[in-house]
Amino acid sequence: MKFVLDAEQRLFGETLNKLLAGAGTAGAVRARAAGDPEPGRALWRSLAGAGVFALAVPEAAGGAGPLPVELVTAFHELGRHAVPGPLAETVAAAGLLARLDAGTGRGSGRGDDAGGLAAAWLPRIAEGTAVVSLALPPAVPYALDADTADLVLVVDGDELRTAAPGAALTSLDPARRLFPVAAGAAEAGTALACGPAVRAAAAAAFDLGALACAAQLTGVGRRLLEVTVEYAMTRRQFGRPIGSFQAVKHRLADVLVALEHTRPLVHGAALAYGSPDFPRDVSAAKAAASDAAHAAAGSALQVHGAIGYTDEYDLSLWIRKARALRSAWGSPAAHRSRVLSCLTGG
Amino acid sequence: MKFVLDAEQRLFGETLNKLLAGAGTAGAVRARAAGDPEPGRALWRSLAGAGVFALAVPEAAGGAGPLPVELVTAFHELGRHAVPGPLAETVAAAGLLARLDAGTGRGSGRGDDAGGLAAAWLPRIAEGTAVVSLALPPAVPYALDADTADLVLVVDGDELRTAAPGAALTSLDPARRLFPVAAGAAEAGTALACGPAVRAAAAAAFDLGALACAAQLTGVGRRLLEVTVEYAMTRRQFGRPIGSFQAVKHRLADVLVALEHTRPLVHGAALAYGSPDFPRDVSAAKAAASDAAHAAAGSALQVHGAIGYTDEYDLSLWIRKARALRSAWGSPAAHRSRVLSCLTGG
Amino acid sequence: MDLDLSPVEPFRAEVRDWLRAHVPAAPLPSLETGEGFAAHRAWERELASARLSVVSWPERYGGRDATPLEWLVFEEEYYAAGAPGRVSQNGINLLAPTLFRYGTPEQLDRVLPPMASGEVIWAQAWSEPGAGSDLAALRSTATRVGGGWLLNGQKTWSSRAAFADRGFGPFRSDPEAGRHRGLIYLMFPLEAEGLTRRPIGRLDGKPAFAELFFDDVFVPDADVIGEPGEGWQVAMGTTGSERGLTLRSPGRFTAAADRLVGLWRERADPADTALRDRVADAWIRARAYRLKGFETISRAEDAGAESSVNKVFWSELDVALHETALDLLGPDGELDGDWLEGYVFSLAGPIYAGTNEIQRNVIAERVLGLPREAKA
Amino acid sequence: MDLDLSPVEPFRAEVRDWLRAHVPAAPLPSLETGEGFAAHRAWERELASARLSVVSWPERYGGRDATPLEWLVFEEEYYAAGAPGRVSQNGINLLAPTLFRYGTPEQLDRVLPPMASGEVIWAQAWSEPGAGSDLAALRSTATRVGGGWLLNGQKTWSSRAAFADRGFGPFRSDPEAGRHRGLIYLMFPLEAEGLTRRPIGRLDGKPAFAELFFDDVFVPDADVIGEPGEGWQVAMGTTGSERGLTLRSPGRFTAAADRLVGLWRERADPADTALRDRVADAWIRARAYRLKGFETISRAEDAGAESSVNKVFWSELDVALHETALDLLGPDGELDGDWLEGYVFSLAGPIYAGTNEIQRNVIAERVLGLPREAKA
């Protein structure tokens, strides 16, 4: 039993951190919001180069995965740097395709079947040349960034199909554009697979997406805390650094306490991948991560005051992302319900 | 519209406050816990002398009521001084008997009917010679202090009957002994009245009891705040009064904010007496008062530290009462549910 | 003690009927856009034409001499009707009370009527980059010149200033004096020579604020409020009303709570009522704040530091209420719309007009009498 | 990174089987009574006979040299089995770690085996009426005499001291030295001449504490722990373990959370699940604390100030968990019973071993690096 990242895993996280620290992620978000997806796409490519997306793709399909611990390590850094794009969605889609592939017999070679779909897309996901969006109504009713994705999937009941993006909805998070993929809007879509295997694969994909999102939220929370601590040490009001006020200290201490007790839940859920406890543990992690990031955002805003409330300060990107990811991939209430259902078998 | 106590009402509260401040209420609680009900009984008589119980008894039955605003004013002081006894229960019983009386035709003179019951007991309640306990299962399943009460009533469905106390249950609040009056334990009881009028009267009695309990909780909370503020000004740790620490200040400020916004709910509910909004407004008041007193108790304990955790310091009587009254006369969750049911008609 | 509102029911009915007939069926465009700002200004004019823009003011300035109770009732009806946001809010709620207390008759006559009619929209200009909650730290200056003052420096997070006509706020008239001394309170045109404004976006990107850069902006003596050097007292008079009952009227919250209950009924899976407690709690708190308002106006004496009690309460209620709504909306919680807009707006509550940390200090020290904090 | 517990499963099975065979079917009488204390002492002896009373200690003192993971597993099984409270807790969790760090071989040999067997039960004697959280303010004295020290003064809120055999704690050996200096850490018999103990009740009236009055109580040099004058360092070594993993093992909370889920299933009206969020949250937090424990023991380095992070978390979890249970119990929430007893016990958590306010200061200053507070 060694429940901490090993040296290689830590190094992987640190490498991503360094890569992203110099990559102008906030600028990529603002470019995306202004209509230019290219900086985000460039980021995506360097993340793929660092091996991020291969973590979700089985080795047989050109990936290095599934490696859930490495995946949450990466997603923590993606959240910490507010990387834009359908990140959890692409990972979840990889999980879905891999699962369908395994379910239908790998490499059966039929062009319109799940195996062919997996063969066509999984290697591209791994190498970063395919950005995939995915909707899993009702919990994930919108396809994130469907306008710039290379493939947009939706699972409707036990049918998997492609979807054409409708009109975008505006999120509080400028990095996110959400596209309805309601049944009615699906004329343009193509049916890809059908049956109970689709339903099972969608359930597995949901868990993987929620886990990635939880890890992303811990990174968002961590960054908010880091930036706020730094600000509290330099900003002076009433003749002293505001970080010397007990109200500020205690609030930030509480954020740290929450984050420190969220990380083990995320790691624990990653290790439960493939076990019957995975859904329960993912839900525990997502609920806790949503609340911890929410608390971090609230404290960041309150400690920064009006500066934190100002669009042009990059801090606002993380504050907004904490709110958006809270309800993405299942709300805290929904995940808590699921934990209790798993525990009571009800 | 004048939504503050008038001069006479204020004077009434202040008079009770003075009366109780010199009456050794904490000693009466400890005597009661040690098996001696007499000091509590003496308190009861002086409260009756001040007119407290007459407030719940109609004028026609020898009382001065119903006067709900005066009643909550009194119960605030009763809570503030931790007066022991089945206070809300007696008031609720008075409401129940008066309502049954009105429902069945006052003064019909039948010894075993509701009118006779009211005629027999209401004047004694008003003058303080009858201490009445009352159980209204399921929300109020136990009869408080049934061992020392002169009359113990229980409403079971649409039947009102007397109940004989079984074995006492121990409450966290040493002022309270609770007696089960479950259907099975009722052999010794006598049926007094039956029918839909009983059910309606019991519902009205519940609202009155819950309102009295809410007012009592505001008094409990107020006292906890007063004592804690005083302590925070004198207790020194780390070379300064602990009340100069921001963590202590902000916590106590939050208690004041909660209490200041609970009083209007209690007053508002009292003014709604007799209107269709009464149940809704009582529930709003009881839920808020339970939470405000709970917050006051938590802060009192935390600011006092181990001293507040010590039985022999009188502070503990109020801390314990805040917890006991929180679940008495309907839990906060139950009252919140009722508010929402009233609002949505569901 | 009573809660008898029947004497004001005729007034309530008049307001309700007028609003029912006049509130635009479709929401106006966001008042943080040029188009929306103009639409909201037109709405102010419409309100004023019915003498409903400033009901509590004296008649001579465009009001009705409404009692505080009538004002509360007006606000309840206004928000219940879903009427447009008040683009004149900074003027009506912050500048007007200051003028009533410190202004000259000439200033009242000159400033108030066009404020009431929406002809002149005011922006507040208090905060500076280095002086947010700590107002005494402000550094923008007013220098004495013949017949007036020259303003220099920078203000920021100036609400409404992107599109408003005029601004008001404190400047430092005597750099030698102590932190709370040597301030002057001034009104100035936003189109003045030497004044540059740069819109800045709030949390959701909408340009609700502006930065103002002053480069020898001339203000005549007639636009000084109170005595030069006493700007601190004048400003504090304004914060009193900003923190108190006037800025956030109970009607806002009771209307929002009613809408939340409606959302709950519409959205909540009856088998999945985890949020019920929070919905009920928001409604109860809104009711508490409403009744607290009635209590406040029933008291003879001024609330004083108790306005801090109100400010902490309504600002936290507002956040909790909107957070509950967003959580109820589930995956739609991040989407642009009324609830999200209300949420973003609510987030400013615990920050502005004195952060809630400062309010809690005020409550602890001035209401509860706890000792002041150790000094740095 | 892994969570592979299979290597400790045999040990877990042994503990589980033994507990299943030995945990009394009916709860022992409360350990805050003479009768209950004796029963709990007998239970300690029974545990010791299976070498299960101090599994993590070296074998020579009665332990099994268990790894930290084995200890965690032991605790999980212990609390899951509903086994009796540990009357030896103060000795095992507070005194023993101090002795392992500062004690002499002679002290270890003399003190530990009877502690492990329940023959000697220890009470901690730290707090004084004027020195609760501010340990440096303590005033009880130890005066040098031939061959030892004379204790004078008063201790209070001494856990277990009503019935225990011996006590330990810091005294002031040099009244001239500064607040953190001139302390001495001593062990003493509670039956000593000159020592008077007076039981005091905790919040629910049960005599969980005692006051101790010292009047020339003699303590031989052999019972001084560490160097005279270095009592502060010795005490801080103990608070480190008091705040950290050892005192409140995750197994307590996971077992309590499982029971809470059971209570919810049994009590909750399915149509009225307002408390569901809180039940689920308690379970999630207990799981988080358990996993955090695995993380802590997986790290090479010492947790240091991070033990404050744990203390804030478990103490607040414990209160929330028990409050949720009482709220679920509705009108039964005020009644004496396991849940109420656990609630009362939990309320001490945020207070003792350094209040949570102090812990938050420690976290802010030593973990986050925020500046120290202004001094009075």
Side-chain angles (χ1 to χ4, degrees), chain D residues 88-234:
Chain D
S88 285
Q89 175 181 290
N90 281 289
I92 295 171
N93 291 330
L94 298 181
L95 178 57
T98 307
L99 286 171
F100 283 124
R101 184 156 170 193
Y102 295 101
T104 63
E106 185 275 329
Q107 286 174 331
L108 293 167
D109 286 338
R110 176 162 53 91
V111 172
L112 294 181
M115 185 192 292
S117 69
E119 194 184 325
V120 175
I121 310 280
W122 291 82
Q124 62 102 324
W126 284 22
S127 295
E128 297 181 6
S133 294
D134 185 9
L135 196 61
L138 52 82
R139 290 187 299 189
S140 292
T141 57
T143 311
R144 191 77 184 114
V145 291
W149 302 78
L150 283 183
L151 307 185
N152 280 285
Q154 182 186 354
K155 296 282 180 181
T156 190
W157 300 301
S158 178
S159 310
R160 296 292 95 74
F163 303 104
D165 306 298
R166 293 177 63 85
F168 58 93
F171 291 75
R172 190 160 289 288
S173 53
D174 180 359
E176 307 293 306
R179 282 165 39 93
H180 298 90
R181 296 175 185 186
L183 299 181
I184 185 169
Y185 206 87
L186 298 157
M187 301 179 280
F188 51 86
L190 287 164
E191 290 293 348
E193 201 176 332
L195 198 162
T196 311
R197 46 180 157 173
R198 188 175 77 83
I200 47 178
R202 67 177 180 195
L203 192 62
D204 59 1
K206 294 180 184 170
F209 306 111
E211 279 185 316
L212 304 176
F213 300 92
F214 298 84
D215 180 12
D216 279 346
V217 173
F218 178 75
V219 173
D221 285 330
D223 284 341
V224 174
I225 305 177
E227 293 300 313
E230 293 183 1
W232 175 260
Q233 290 81 338
V234 178

Side-chain angles (χ1 to χ4, degrees), chain A residues 22-314:
Chain A
T25 52
V29 171
R30 299 200 185 275
R32 172 76 177 89
D36 175 10
E38 190 36 46
R41 198 72 190 220
L43 264 177
W44 193 280
R45 285 188 295 268
S46 35
L47 289 171
V52 168
F53 301 108
L55 299 170
V57 173
E59 288 193 48
L67 288 170
V69 172
E70 284 73 8
L71 204 61
V72 298
T73 303
F75 268 77
H76 177 82
E77 300 302 331
L78 299 183
R80 196 168 165 200
H81 294 281
V83 175
L87 296 157
E89 292 70 20
T90 292
V91 158
L96 186 143
L97 295 174
R99 173 80 173 248
L100 268 184
D101 185 26
T104 56
R106 186 180 304 140
S108 67
R110 287 168 295 166
D112 62 338
D113 66 3
L117 200 63
W121 288 98
L122 286 177
R124 291 187 57 195
I125 289 175
E127 73 191 22
T129 54
V131 174
V132 185
S133 187
L134 170 68
L136 297 169
V140 187
Y142 306 113
L144 176 65
D145 294 340
D147 55 340
T148 55
D150 300 293
L151 174 67
V152 182
L153 297 173
V154 58
V155 176
D156 190 4
D158 60 1
E159 186 186 65
L160 170 69
R161 50 183 174 74
T162 62
L169 301 170
T170 307
S171 166
L172 175 63
D173 180 352
R176 291 166 65 85
R177 285 200 206 183
L178 298 168
F179 294 81
V181 287
E187 308 80 46
T190 313
L192 299 171
C194 197
V198 168
R199 204 178 281 270
F206 174 75
D207 290 334
L208 202 57
L211 175 64
C213 187
Q216 214 175 343
L217 276 161
T218 64
V220 169
R222 177 64 61 168
R223 176 60 162 265
L224 285 163
L225 177 61
E226 288 164 355
V227 171
T228 306
V229 165
E230 201 180 305
Y231 183 77
M233 291 204 273
T234 51
R235 172 78 170 176
R236 296 176 72 87
Q237 293 272 275
F238 306 103
R240 61 169 106 158
I242 58 174
S244 70
F245 288 103
Q246 216 175 25
V248 171
K249 286 177 149 166
H250 287 197
R251 202 158 174 171
L252 295 178
D254 280 336
V255 171
L256 182 77
V257 170
L259 287 171
E260 284 289 296
H261 285 85
T262 302
R263 179 188 53 237
L265 288 170
V266 172
H267 285 160
L271 288 173
Y273 179 82
S275 92
D277 288 338
F278 189 54
R280 181 198 71 185
D281 292 352
V282 165
S283 281
K286 176 64 166 69
S290 296
D291 283 353
H294 183 66
S299 300
L301 183 56
Q302 192 62 22
V303 171
H304 280 82
I307 289 168
Y309 194 72
T310 307
D311 171 48
E312 64 193 42
Y313 287 87
D314 285 342

